[in-house]
Amino acid sequence: MAHALVSPNAAAYTSGRDISQTLESARGQVEERFLEGGTVLLSVMDVLNRLLNSLESVTTALDNKEASDTGADLRATVASLTALPITEEGRQRALVSLAHTGRELRKHVADMQETMRYLRTFAVTVKITGAGIAEFAGFAQEILERIYSGTDEVNRFATHLDSLDKEVKLAASFGASVSKGYADTVPAVAGALRDDAAKIAEHRRDLGVIAREVGAIARAVQSKVASTLSALQIGDITRQRIEHVQATFSLLEDFFAGEDGAKLDAGARQRLQNVIHHLTAAQMSDMCANFQRDSENVVKTIASFDHDMREILKLRDQMSGESGEAGGNFMRSLESSVSAAHEIVKQVDTASRQADQVSQSTIGTAAKLSEAIGNIRAVKTDIHYMALNTNLRCSRLGEEGRSINVVTAELRIFAGKLDDSADAIVNGLPALEAAAGRLAPAADAGAGNLGESLTSAVGNIRSAANLIENELKVLAENGREVATKISLLIGKLDFQHDLGEVLAGCADLLEGVAGTDIADISDLTETIAPLDRKIFKHYTMVQERNIHRGIIPASEDNTPAPAEAAKAENDEDLFADALF
């Protein structure tokens, strides 16, 4: 009899152990798959954080105030470049004025040269006429030497003016060529620089807009990943519920092996086992339904990542210039325009140096002319007094000195003409210096400053462009890594495939073992009360408790006292109920 009772029980236990082994396999797969999925999600979250950090760096670079200031500097430089034709026209007018003043002075110098020729002629005549008079021989030679000295001064004067005239003509000729070149090139180059600056500013604004769009999508994905991480608790819940089912079978086996179980006959054991099978089948069925629903939501959320990542990659390509005009092209265009501008600046610099040289030379010439005029006046004074003395001597000589007297009188007259020419030259020197002053470039508008401004502005723009380009490369790498991680994630977190089938198979197995009808164990309530309490104690979710009580009603012994209920509902229990 005892052997007859043991054999069916052993078979029942074997069935429970077999089911537990199947459940253990499912539990292991759930734990492995969800642990792997959680690891991938955390890595995605990490790379998303890096993507957002690189986006912030790009945005910071785009919003850099120095870049805006550089744009303003470039526009100011373009304005200076645009003003060059007007500046050159002013310089040309100054050169024309200088040339005109020089020609006017040259006329007076020519008059002085002509006067000096007459004076030499008269001096030679004095020498010849007074050759027979001893006291006039040395005196005539002295007058002639003074006239030669004055002639040298006047000729040096003329040489200074001739040299100045050549410099003015050279500067005017080059300036005319530069001025014509300005008319042909400056408006186009200035316009190109303005367009390039505007395009770069517009490009940066566009990049800023795209960066904000990428950021919005990335933050949305970040939120989805966070919610998915939270939703992955379905894996932990499923694992726990499988363990609870396993524990139920283990507790049943222990119950059958214990004193309370030994009191039950074979029929009672079969009925209790049937109820436990129904209980575990109900728990597994509910667990599968929840797993199906929640994991399907997880899969849908993850599937939406694919569209988000395609949008991020598309925007990333736009920012990197792979699907449109890139900032690098703008920089090449700008540098081409700046190269043309630098050619103009070189011409400006050459013209400015020439004009400055002419200005300095003119001022120096004016100083030399002033000194020469003084020397010429001194020669004129010497000749005048020497001639006057000669007249006085000739008067004392009477008829013998009359011929010499006539010539020396002419000397005095022509020496006086030197004063008229010298006065005209002295009066013209301020006009010469004024015209020279108008040639000198303003200290703050030099070509060197303009060239430095261009170089500085472009250097700053290039630095900003390089910074943005480097940040975009980091962004592209992070975007690519996010896409790779997301693709991996979609494969890893497809819980419906295989895993859902395994759990559904376990539920079907339990339902098959349980059968369609549930046995009546109302007569065993007191006997199985310890087993009922142990099984119920394992539950951590309200749902499990409700299912349990739907199949095995609580006995009076299992109804907790009010004090016990208050004790049980501590903070952790309330949190668990709220969560699950």
Side-chain angles (χ1 to χ4, degrees), residues 277-322:
H277 284 159
H278 275 281
L279 173 62
T280 54
Q283 294 285 15
M284 282 296 295
S285 178
D286 183 73
M287 180 203 68
C288 283
N290 291 343
F291 179 84
Q292 181 75 18
R293 181 190 67 245
D294 293 344
S295 63
E296 184 176 349
N297 290 335
V298 170
V299 171
K300 284 180 179 178
T301 301
I302 294 172
S304 70
F305 291 172
D306 187 51
H307 174 267
D308 294 333
M309 289 317 304
R310 280 200 302 270
E311 286 298 309
I312 287 179
L313 292 177
K314 183 171 74 175
L315 293 171
R316 180 209 66 180
D317 291 344
Q318 289 181 16
M319 294 185 76
S320 302
E322 296 175 9

